[in-house]
């Protein structure tokens, strides 16, 4: 065996998850598919350069027959026919996993990606939590003695695991002397340990696929699923995958992505925050027409976002696939009733719009919001589990509609720059401390929102954007000054001086490098930050 894995501190998790047989399965996946993954990542570069040069993307002429063809994805298994409310959250620590399983939602998106800081301890614990949940023995006792158990008086949600995107490595496992591919590690360990049991129970194995930029990347997943099923003796089509349409290239290839996965496809999801990040990244040097207003002003009613979501619903339902709504970032605060009331109203408004548009369900970040999501979808479903039969023949979305960023209402402000810098540093610090999702000013922030924050600032600098509230041009010098002030603000807000030195200062260095680098735009914040993790 030419695969080696570092032992985590949790001996029980290691003994269950990092078995020789499981690692051999992961090694086989790498030998068969890692090279293709590398080629597909390399292929992203010239496509991105061309989009930045021309300021354009369009539907692929070579796949027109797929878009115009009469085909549908495989029939949905019973466990995936009702997805009205999906709670999202990391699969570690155990108490958060248990809270998700007790939430009453129809689905739990068990995240090993943007909501999980990929420390080795976190990743192995996440796999162990999912392993135990599949076997019905997941429980936890906190250091204070509080017991957490999966309730037997509520229906447990169907688990859909989200592995990391194609771009992230896993440095704690090496195959032939190279860091492993994070996505293959996450999928391989989970599938090997749980696929047969989940299949026997009729609840899986199911996956969410993030950060896809091309239908060939979806086709690679389809090959992996078919090989994994054959290796473990499971029927072809046992795996079902929902793809996050969270990159602008993928928005132009929704039909092609579903077609590539059609025997394994369940649906598409409107991953709205990463979608905004992708828009900025793809067209960062394409001119002022792609400079977005402050992040807080870019809601789902902006015309280019409406085009994206309506096209997603129409595409999915034409193909018999589920259309899943995105995350409303606001969250309740049980200690502040007025904050909770505002959060509930904003979430209900967001889910009401999605249900009216034809989505089959949507995402939530907190258990207290589950009932409100159900209420909005139940109001339009009239007892049906989904509205796939609503095909939205009225939708006609072209390339210009998807790219109409310049028509977005709102302004770029200096206060917005401050907020972006604060969120980027604060979130990155939390991520470096081992936590992948955190509430900042009553908004749930994860890697996607941090990516928007830092990329907006880079783009504003390079376009010489003028702040509407102060009249000052956003320059590197001004951003450096504002960044220092926001870091000082964080120092005042944090009581723990050691944590500030250990996490905030390195996070500030990462963000400073990302926003002030005049020549290069880092593809993902998490890549340089990952080098700082244990």
């Amino acid at each position: 065996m030419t695969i080696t894995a570092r032992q985590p501190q949790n001996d029980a998790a290691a003994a269950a998850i990092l078995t020789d047989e499981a690692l051999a399965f992961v090694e086989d996946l790498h030998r068969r598919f890692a090279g293709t993954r590398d080629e597909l990542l390399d292929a992203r570069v010239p496509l991105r350069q061309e989009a930045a040069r021309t300021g354009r993307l369009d539907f692929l002429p070579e796949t027109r027959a797929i878009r115009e063809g009469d085909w549908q994805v495989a029939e949905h298994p019973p466990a995936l026919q009702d997805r009205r409310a999906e709670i999202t959250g990391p699969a570690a620590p155990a108490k958060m996993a248990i809270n998700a399983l007790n939430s009453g939602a129809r689905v739990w998106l068990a995240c090993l990606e943007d909501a999980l800081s990929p420390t080795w301890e976190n990743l192995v614990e996440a796999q162990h939590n999912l392993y135990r949940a599949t076997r019905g023995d997941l429980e936890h006792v906190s250091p204070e003695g509080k017991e957490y158990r999966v309730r037997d008086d509520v229906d447990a949600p169907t688990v859909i695991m989200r592995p990391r995107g194609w771009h992230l490595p896993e440095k704690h496992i090496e195959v032939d002397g190279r860091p492993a591919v994070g996505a293959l590690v996450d999928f391989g360990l989970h599938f090997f340990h749980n696929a047969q049991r989940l299949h026997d129970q009729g609840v899986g194995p199911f996956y969410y696929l993030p950060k896809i930029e091309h239908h060939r990347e979806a086709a690679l997943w389809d090959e992996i699923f078919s090989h994994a099923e054959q290796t473990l003796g499971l029927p072809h089509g046992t795996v079902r995958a929902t793809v996050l349409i969270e990159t602008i290239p993928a928005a132009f290839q929704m039909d092609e992505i579903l077609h590539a996965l059609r025997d394994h496809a369940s649906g598409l999801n409107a991953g709205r925050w990463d979608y905004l990040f992708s828009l900025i990244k793809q067209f960062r040097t394409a001119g002022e027409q792609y400079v977005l207003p402050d992040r807080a002003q870019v809601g789902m009613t902006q015309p280019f976002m409406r085009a994206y979501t309506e096209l997603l619903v129409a595409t999915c339902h034409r193909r018999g696939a589920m259309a899943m709504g995105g995350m409303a970032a606001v969250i309740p605060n049980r200690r502040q009733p007025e904050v909770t009331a505002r959060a509930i109203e904003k979430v209900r408004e967001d889910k009401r719009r999605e249900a009216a548009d034809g989505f089959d369900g949507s995402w939530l970040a907190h258990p207290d919001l589950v009932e409100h999501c159900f209420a909005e979808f139940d109001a339009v479903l009239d007892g049906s589990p989904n509205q796939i039969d609503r095909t939205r023949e009225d939708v006609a979305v072209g390339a210009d509609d998807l790219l109409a960023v310049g028509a977005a209402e709102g302004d770029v402000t200096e206060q917005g720059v401050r907020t972006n810098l604060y969120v980027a540093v604060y979130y990155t610090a939390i991520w470096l401390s081992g936590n992948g999702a955190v509430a900042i000013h009553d908004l749930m922030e994860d890697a996607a929102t941090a990516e928007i924050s830092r990329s907006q600032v880079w783009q504003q600098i390079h376009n010489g954007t003028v702040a509407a509230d102060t009249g000052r041009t956003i320059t590197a010098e001004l951003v450096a000054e504002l960044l220092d002030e926001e870091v000082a603000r964080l120092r005042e807000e944090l009581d723990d001086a050691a944590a500030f030195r250990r996490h905030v200062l390195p996070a500030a260095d990462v963000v400073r490098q990302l926003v002030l680098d005049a020549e290069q735009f880092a593809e993902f914040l998490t890549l340089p930050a990952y080098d700082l993790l244990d």
Side-chain angles (χ1 to χ4, degrees):
M1 184 182 295
T2 58
I3 182 170
T4 58
R6 186 185 304 179
Q7 287 297 108
Q9 296 177 9
N10 188 328
D11 292 337
I17 301 303
L18 300 178
T19 65
D20 288 344
E21 296 81 4
L23 291 175
F25 183 75
V26 171
E27 181 182 27
D28 177 59
L29 293 179
H30 277 77
R31 290 192 175 278
R32 293 177 182 271
F33 303 111
T36 304
R37 171 265 196 181
D38 294 343
E39 293 171 1
L40 291 173
L41 287 184
D42 290 341
R44 289 178 176 181
V45 177
L47 297 176
R48 194 171 297 141
Q49 290 172 339
E50 178 67 8
R53 184 185 67 80
T54 62
R56 294 291 300 176
L57 279 172
D58 210 335
F59 299 94
L60 301 177
E62 64 268 26
T63 54
R64 182 175 179 177
I66 291 175
R67 291 193 299 277
E68 296 180 352
D70 184 14
W71 54 269
Q72 291 203 326
V73 302
E75 184 179 352
H76 298 280
L80 290 178
Q81 291 182 7
D82 180 355
R83 299 175 62 175
R84 289 168 291 162
E86 299 193 345
I87 193 162
T88 73
K95 71 175 184 178
M96 292 192 70
I98 293 169
N99 287 341
L101 291 168
N102 289 337
S103 67
R106 296 301 302 153
V107 166
W108 170 35
L109 186 160
C111 187
L112 273 69
E113 199 227 6
D114 275 1
L116 184 82
S117 173
T119 68
W120 191 223
E121 298 301 321
N122 281 349
L123 288 162
V124 176
E125 182 189 349
Q127 291 280 358
H128 194 217
N129 290 340
L130 294 171
Y131 176 96
R132 295 175 67 193
T134 301
R135 289 154 179 78
D137 64 356
L138 179 60
E139 57 185 32
H140 173 71
V141 180
S142 73
E144 298 77 25
K146 184 176 180 179
E147 296 183 355
Y148 295 81
R149 288 189 173 85
V150 179
R151 293 166 55 183
D152 55 13
D153 60 337
V154 297
D155 291 334
T158 297
V159 177
I160 304 182
M161 192 273 271
R162 178 166 67 172
R164 283 169 284 180
W166 281 131
H167 61 285
L168 281 170
E170 177 45 68
K171 63 186 178 183
H172 302 96
I173 290 183
E174 291 188 350
V175 180
D176 297 329
R178 293 182 55 196
V181 177
L184 294 179
V185 171
D186 297 344
F187 167 77
L189 292 176
H190 179 266
F191 187 90
F192 180 84
H193 288 298
N194 303 296
Q196 184 67 61
R197 284 178 179 264
L198 291 169
H199 174 63
D200 292 345
Q201 297 166 17
V203 292
F206 305 140
Y207 299 94
Y208 258 111
L209 304 180
K211 305 292 188 293
I212 283 177
E213 295 193 15
H214 199 282
H215 65 87
R216 291 194 297 267
E217 298 175 18
L220 176 58
W221 271 118
D222 192 71
E223 291 180 35
I224 291 167
F225 294 154
S226 295
H227 173 72
E229 290 164 342
Q230 184 178 23
T231 300
L232 267 63
L234 291 170
H236 178 74
T238 296
V239 173
R240 294 303 169 89
T242 304
V243 177
L244 291 104
I245 301 300
E246 55 184 353
T247 69
I248 182 64
F252 286 87
Q253 300 181 41
M254 295 186 200
D255 273 307
E256 292 89 335
I257 287 169
L258 285 174
H259 187 266
L261 283 159
R262 59 193 178 279
D263 290 345
H264 295 109
S266 177
L268 304 177
N269 167 271
R272 59 180 71 168
W273 304 123
D274 265 306
Y275 186 74
L276 290 174
F277 164 52
S278 175
L279 265 168
I280 299 167
K281 177 166 64 174
Q282 200 79 17
F283 298 111
R284 58 187 180 265
T285 59
E288 292 184 4
Q289 70 270 28
Y290 284 106
V291 176
L292 288 166
D294 288 352
R295 177 166 69 101
Q297 301 179 46
V298 187
M300 299 306 293
T301 59
Q302 295 279 14
F304 73 98
M305 295 299 281
R306 291 285 294 156
Y308 151 62
T309 54
E310 291 199 317
L311 179 61
L312 188 147
V313 172
T315 303
C316 283
H317 288 181
R318 183 186 178 199
R319 305 308 182 183
M322 291 279 185
M324 303 308 303
M327 178 69 74
V330 291
I331 56 173
N333 186 325
R334 292 172 179 173
R335 295 184 297 275
Q336 296 181 280
E338 67 281 3
V339 171
T340 295
R342 288 196 299 270
I344 288 172
E345 181 49 40
K346 288 183 178 180
V347 167
R348 292 197 72 138
E349 179 183 356
D350 185 66
K351 305 313 168 192
R352 190 177 306 131
R353 174 189 50 76
E354 289 181 327
D357 284 348
F359 281 95
D360 301 294
S362 193
W363 282 8
L364 305 154
H366 195 284
D368 289 354
L369 300 174
V370 169
E371 63 177 301
H372 302 289
C373 185
F374 272 123
E376 296 302 335
F377 278 91
D378 288 344
V380 302
L381 286 172
D382 193 27
S384 297
N386 56 65
Q387 47 186 338
I388 289 177
D389 58 351
R390 188 177 167 202
T391 54
R392 292 301 309 270
E393 300 293 340
D394 58 305
V395 171
V397 172
D400 289 344
D401 301 306
L402 292 171
L403 300 177
V405 175
E409 297 180 357
D411 296 309
V412 174
T413 68
E414 194 170 305
Q415 181 56 50
V417 176
R418 285 186 177 276
T419 299
N420 276 339
L421 293 170
Y422 179 94
V423 168
V425 174
Y426 191 178
Y427 175 79
T428 304
I430 294 295
W431 193 86
L432 292 175
S433 75
N435 190 351
V438 62
I440 301 177
H441 300 157
D442 301 313
L443 297 175
M444 182 57 69
E445 308 282 2
D446 67 5
T449 52
E451 293 281 29
I452 299 171
S453 297
R454 64 93 179 182
S455 60
Q456 274 200 304
V457 177
W458 191 97
Q459 185 186 36
Q460 290 158 359
I461 291 172
H462 285 261
N463 281 276
T465 305
V466 177
D469 54 343
T470 65
R472 295 204 285 182
T473 300
I474 299 171
T475 64
E477 292 74 20
L478 175 60
V479 168
E481 175 186 331
L482 298 180
L483 178 57
D484 288 341
E485 292 175 6
E486 293 306 306
V487 172
R489 176 184 168 198
L490 281 166
R491 178 65 188 91
E492 293 177 0
E493 292 176 354
L494 295 177
D495 295 329
D496 191 338
F500 178 82
R501 292 191 300 271
R502 186 179 310 117
H503 303 305
V504 176
L505 289 180
D509 287 341
V510 169
V511 172
R512 182 175 289 106
Q513 174 188 345
L514 294 180
V515 301
L516 297 180
D517 189 326
E519 301 299 328
Q520 299 296 324
F521 180 93
E523 293 298 322
F524 293 95
L525 178 156
T526 46
L527 286 173
Y530 183 63
D531 292 336
L532 303 179
L533 284 180
D534 293 334

